[in-house]
């Protein structure tokens, strides 16, 4: 009996051991299943952490200050101190909101550096899914194309997301093949910094009236430039932030052109947009001068973000907008610059006269002289600074002082003699005619002769002279 009881006890113990082994095996199986998911999550978080650090390392001082200000941390110090502070933020306190802010700053930073990227085969990334990061609601996931890994030094982060940034179109580098929109250079505005390259306005819905916002921040250097600039007149600084709008056309530099129903709001306040010129002719519609729009008075001159919203009419034509930090020049400054670099030597002007009067063998009329008026065709006063465009075929000049003043008020840049374009960078001061004006005080007209010399034309000489050959008048 004793042996039988011991056998039964041993059998029960063996059964309990087998049950324990089965439970241990089951628990190990469950743990084994959880470990791949945990490893996948850890890999995903590690990849995002590496991406965030890479993006922060490429930031400028203004980007770092904006990021640190977003989380309420100190923005003062040198760049390496800001970088260290931002990396610590990423390492120890990188919430989804912070990661989203880093992505937005990076998109803004590298939207100016679009380069052609050779399409590559999709890379298998089991640790990363397209929906693993919080993305701006306006991003279009459907057109972002194959995703590539982000590893230094070939940062391809902007290519991972869609077309629209802050409501303004931005095509990812991989599919951007067409050239950029360019704006014509404006003589009265010297570009200091380009805050936003010309970017196409994209309709977000089928409504005729569209709103396109843009958010940016000024660097401390840019803020100081504005604050320390002189006043052109009360309330207007010479260094300004301006908005320029043009057609989306890449064939040539574009002139400023407003869309229908334009309105511009800066930080919740509407900005003044140039109105229409009144028309004195019956039946002629008034014209609207399309100039850069000065946003400076409504901006935050600090490290705070500025929000600009362009309201425009969507009627089929495509428009692009750009933001620039500029220094506005006056007509007197442009005149002084022209006197410094735009004076043509008298001997070169005399050579031009001789070429104009050179005998043409195919012409039956011999030209013995060219008459040039010393009266400005713009204001009917005696010339003070004789000027013309190098592209003009005539020798007649107009006064640079009045020409620049008129274009400062209403820019047309049209020659008053031949009605052809006479841009500022094409203007020259006639050194020969300047010398003649100082020597000839009693005549309002002169005649250039074949050898390049000249003689005054007075009323008495006009009545008494009867030239054998006709005098060709190229002054008109």
């Amino acid at each position: 009996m004793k042996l039988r009881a011991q056998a039964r006890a041993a059998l029960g113990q063996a059964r309990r051991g087998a049950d324990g082994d089965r439970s241990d095996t089951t628990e190990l199986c469950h743990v084994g299943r959880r470990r791949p998911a945990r490893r996948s999550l850890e890999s995903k978080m590690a990849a995002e952490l590496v991406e965030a650090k890479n993006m922060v390392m490429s930031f400028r001082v203004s980007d770092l200050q904006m990021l640190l200000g977003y989380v309420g941390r100190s923005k003062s110090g040198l760049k390496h101190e800001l970088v260290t502070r931002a990396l610590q933020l990423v390492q120890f306190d990188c919430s989804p909101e912070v990661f989203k802010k880093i992505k937005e700053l990076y998109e803004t930073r590298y939207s100016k550096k679009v380069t052609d990227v050779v399409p590559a085969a999709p890379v298998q990334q089991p640790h990363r899914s397209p929906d693993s990061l919080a993305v701006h609601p306006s991003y279009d996931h459907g057109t972002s194309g194959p995703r590539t890994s982000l590893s230094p030094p070939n940062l391809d982060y902007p290519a991972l997301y869609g077309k629209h940034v802050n409501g303004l179109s931005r095509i990812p580098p991989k599919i951007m093949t067409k050239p950029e929109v360019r704006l014509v250079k404006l003589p009265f505005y010297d570009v200091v910094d380009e805050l936003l390259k010309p970017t196409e306005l994209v309709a977000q819905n089928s409504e005729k009236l569209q709103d396109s916002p843009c958010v940016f921040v000024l660097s401390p250097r840019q803020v100081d430039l504005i604050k320390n600039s002189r006043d052109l007149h009360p309330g207007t600084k010479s260094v300004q932030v301006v908005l320029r709008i043009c057609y989306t056309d890449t064939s040539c530099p574009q002139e400023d052109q407003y869309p229908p129903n334009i309105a511009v709001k800066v930080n919740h306040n509407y900005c003044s947009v140039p109105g229409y010129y009144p028309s004195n002719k019956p039946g002629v519609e008034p014209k609207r001068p399309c100039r850069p729009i000065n946003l400076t008075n409504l901006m935050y001159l600090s490290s705070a973000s500025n929000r600009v919203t362009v309201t425009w009419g969507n009627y089929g034509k495509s428009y692009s907008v750009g933001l620039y930090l500029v220094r506005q020049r006056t007509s007197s400054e442009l005149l002084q610059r022209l006197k410094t670099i735009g004076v043509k030597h008298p001997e070169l002007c005399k050579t031009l006269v001789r070429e104009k009067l050179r005998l043409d063998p195919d012409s039956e009329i011999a030209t013995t002289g060219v008459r040039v008026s010393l009266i400005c065709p713009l204001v009917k006063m005696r010339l003070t600074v004789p000027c013309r465009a190098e592209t003009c075929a005539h020798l007649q000049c107009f006064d640079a002082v009045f020409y620049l003043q008129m274009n400062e008020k209403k820019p047309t840049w049209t020659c008053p003699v031949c009605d052809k374009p006479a841009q500022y960078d094409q203007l020259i001061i006639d050194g020969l005619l300047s010398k003649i004006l100082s020597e000839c005080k009693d005549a309002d007209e002169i005649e250039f002769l074949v050898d390049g010399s000249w003689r005054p034309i007075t009323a008495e000489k006009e009545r008494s002279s009867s030239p054998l050959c006709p005098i060709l008048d190229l002054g008109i």
Side-chain angles (χ1 to χ4, degrees):
M1 293 294 292
K2 185 176 180 181
L3 292 175
R4 190 177 299 173
Q6 289 178 349
R8 282 200 296 268
L11 180 61
Q13 185 177 1
R15 287 176 178 174
R16 286 195 297 274
D19 293 339
D21 291 342
R22 282 197 297 270
S23 63
D24 292 342
T25 305
T26 304
E27 184 177 355
L28 288 173
C29 289
H30 286 302
V31 172
R33 289 174 189 154
R34 287 196 297 267
R35 281 177 182 172
R38 184 178 302 173
R39 284 197 297 268
S40 177
L41 180 61
E42 291 173 353
S43 299
K44 189 184 302 182
M45 294 174 61
E48 293 176 357
L49 188 63
V50 171
E51 288 177 353
K53 288 183 178 180
N54 288 334
M55 288 185 284
V56 167
M57 290 294 291
S58 69
F59 280 179
R60 299 168 297 185
V61 172
S62 58
D63 301 325
L64 294 167
Q65 290 175 333
M66 190 171 181
L67 173 62
L68 293 171
Y70 177 78
V71 296
R73 299 196 180 186
S74 174
K75 300 181 291 182
S76 61
L78 300 177
K79 182 176 181 179
H80 72 274
E81 297 173 339
L82 299 177
V83 171
T84 302
R85 212 171 297 153
L87 290 176
Q88 290 175 348
L89 169 68
V90 172
Q91 182 69 35
F92 301 109
D93 193 17
C94 190
S95 64
E97 293 78 13
V98 172
F99 197 91
K100 179 179 178 181
K101 187 65 176 178
I102 293 173
K103 288 189 301 177
E104 290 178 352
L105 290 172
Y106 186 88
E107 289 262 340
T108 304
R109 172 74 175 92
Y110 281 93
S111 63
K112 300 179 181 179
K113 298 184 177 181
V114 177
T115 57
D116 293 332
V117 180
V118 179
V123 179
Q124 297 295 329
Q125 295 186 20
H127 63 277
R128 179 188 177 97
S129 65
D131 299 325
S132 61
L133 302 178
V135 181
H136 194 282
S138 64
Y139 290 155
D140 179 10
H141 292 275
T143 59
S144 59
R147 294 173 184 265
T148 58
S149 61
L150 180 68
S151 59
N154 296 320
L155 299 181
D156 194 23
Y157 193 81
L160 300 180
Y161 297 96
K163 293 182 179 180
H164 309 301
V165 178
N166 291 327
L168 300 181
S169 169
R170 192 186 67 76
I171 303 177
K174 290 190 177 181
I175 61 175
M176 186 169 200
T177 56
K178 65 179 183 179
E180 297 178 350
V181 175
R182 295 169 295 156
L183 283 152
V184 297
K185 183 180 179 181
L186 300 178
F188 288 100
Y189 295 89
D190 292 341
V191 177
V192 179
D193 285 323
E194 188 178 54
L195 304 178
L196 174 69
K197 280 191 174 184
T199 306
E200 185 177 359
L201 295 173
V202 176
Q204 302 298 310
N205 49 51
S206 60
E207 299 293 330
K208 291 299 182 183
L209 211 59
Q210 298 286 329
D211 287 336
S212 295
C214 173
V215 179
F216 67 98
V217 63
L218 295 174
S219 69
R221 179 186 66 86
Q222 293 166 343
V223 171
D224 290 340
L225 282 174
I226 296 173
K227 289 182 177 180
N228 298 329
S229 63
R230 63 186 180 86
D231 292 332
L232 294 177
H233 47 80
T236 303
K237 291 285 189 179
S238 60
V239 176
Q240 309 164 3
V241 174
V242 298
L243 175 76
R244 298 186 66 184
I245 309 178
C246 67
Y247 288 130
T248 304
D249 185 353
T250 59
S251 60
C252 61
Q254 297 296 301
E255 295 184 353
D256 293 67
Q257 184 65 49
Y258 295 160
N261 308 114
I262 182 176
V264 179
K265 186 186 290 186
V266 182
N267 297 327
H268 311 294
N269 294 304
Y270 280 101
C271 181
S272 175
V273 178
Y276 288 88
Y277 287 137
S279 176
N280 298 325
K281 299 179 181 180
V284 178
E285 294 185 2
K287 294 183 178 180
R288 187 173 200 169
C290 297
R291 297 182 175 183
I293 302 172
N294 187 0
L295 313 179
T296 315
N297 290 338
L298 299 178
M299 293 186 58
Y300 301 134
L301 298 182
S302 64
S303 59
S305 298
N306 289 279
R307 183 182 181 88
V308 178
T309 303
V310 180
T311 302
W312 53 286
N314 181 24
Y315 295 98
K317 290 187 177 179
S318 180
Y319 295 86
S320 293
V321 299
L323 284 169
Y324 302 89
L325 183 70
V326 301
R327 188 183 300 275
Q328 185 174 355
R329 299 296 184 180
T330 62
S331 58
S332 58
E333 289 177 315
L334 263 60
L335 177 63
Q336 187 59 44
R337 185 185 297 175
L338 186 62
K339 287 181 177 180
T340 303
I341 63 175
V343 179
K344 194 165 186 176
H345 195 275
E347 290 301 322
L348 295 176
C349 296
K350 188 178 291 186
T351 301
L352 179 62
V353 171
R354 288 197 291 263
E355 290 178 355
K356 293 286 185 184
L357 295 175
R358 184 180 300 164
L359 181 62
D360 186 356
D362 297 330
S363 176
E364 298 179 356
I365 301 176
T367 304
T368 60
V370 177
R371 289 187 178 182
V372 173
S373 175
L374 302 182
I375 301 298
C376 175
L378 285 170
V379 292
K380 308 304 178 185
M381 296 172 59
R382 188 178 174 87
L383 293 168
T384 56
V385 184
C387 174
R388 66 174 179 274
E390 283 192 302
T391 53
C392 292
H394 51 79
L395 297 176
Q396 178 65 53
C397 290
F398 48 85
D399 200 309
V401 176
F402 297 108
Y403 184 72
L404 293 175
Q405 288 177 356
M406 293 177 68
N407 280 282
E408 185 177 23
K409 295 180 180 179
K410 184 180 178 181
T412 59
W413 300 105
T414 302
C415 175
V417 178
C418 63
D419 289 330
K420 293 182 179 180
Q423 298 294 332
Y424 175 75
D425 56 2
Q426 298 172 341
L427 299 180
I428 57 105
I429 295 176
D430 192 316
L432 178 59
L433 205 55
S434 297
K435 184 178 179 182
I436 293 172
L437 284 166
S438 63
E439 297 176 359
C440 182
K441 301 291 187 180
D442 56 350
D444 294 333
E445 189 177 19
I446 63 159
E447 180 186 0
F448 285 119
L449 304 177
V450 177
D451 60 355
S453 61
W454 62 276
R455 66 182 181 91
I457 301 295
T458 61
E460 296 179 358
K461 288 184 179 180
E462 182 71 20
R463 287 193 298 268
S464 61
S465 62
S466 56
L468 298 176
C469 298
I471 295 176
L472 180 61
D473 188 356
L474 297 182
I476 58 174

